[in-house]
Amino acid sequence: MIVGIAASVSHAHAEDLVFTLKNATSSTLERFYTSPSGVDDWEDDVFGQDVLEPGQSIKITIADGRSVCKYDMRFEFTEDSNLDTTEDTQDLCKMGSYTIHE
C-alpha cells in the first residue's frame, strides 16, 4: 500500500522548527526520523519510546541549531501494519502541520 502525505503551510524559524505531525492512517506510527537533506544518515528516532496512534497528533520541535529548512523524513509503522515505510522531503520552515495519510 502506498502512503500519501499532505502538508499545510505556516512560518517558523530555521533555528527552531516546530510543526504538528498528524497520523491520519489506520496504523500506529512507531518511528519517525529526520535529517537535513543531503546528510547520509538519519538522526535518532524523534519518538524515542513513544508511538503515534491512528488519529493522534504530536507537536514536533527540531532545535538542532542548524540554519537549514529542508529536511528528509522517514515514517515507520508497526510490524503488523499493512503500510510500507515512507520517506519524504519538505521545507519544514514553512510547515505548521504535516499529515500522513494512507
Side-chain angles (χ1 to χ4, degrees):
M1 174 174 280
I2 296 178
V3 177
I5 300 169
S8 67
V9 176
S10 79
H11 297 290
H13 293 54
E15 295 81 21
D16 194 17
L17 302 174
V18 179
F19 64 98
T20 301
L21 177 61
K22 300 175 184 178
N23 183 359
T25 72
S26 60
S27 298
T28 301
L29 185 55
E30 190 170 50
R31 287 179 290 280
F32 172 57
Y33 300 95
T34 65
S35 69
S37 291
V39 174
D40 291 334
D41 295 319
W42 292 107
E43 304 281 325
D44 292 334
D45 176 16
V46 174
F47 293 159
Q49 298 297 318
D50 296 327
V51 297
L52 191 60
E53 297 291 344
Q56 290 186 337
S57 61
I58 187 172
K59 184 177 178 180
I60 303 288
T61 301
I62 301 175
D64 58 11
R66 294 181 172 116
S67 60
V68 298
C69 291
K70 199 169 189 179
Y71 277 77
D72 297 328
M73 296 177 284
R74 181 178 173 95
F75 304 90
E76 295 181 2
F77 296 91
T78 54
E79 199 171 294
D80 62 348
S81 171
N82 62 345
L83 299 178
D84 295 328
T85 294
T86 302
E87 295 181 4
D88 191 22
T89 301
Q90 291 290 329
D91 181 337
L92 296 181
C93 294
K94 295 181 179 178
M95 297 181 62
S97 66
Y98 189 98
T99 303
I100 187 163
H101 296 277
E102 289 184 42

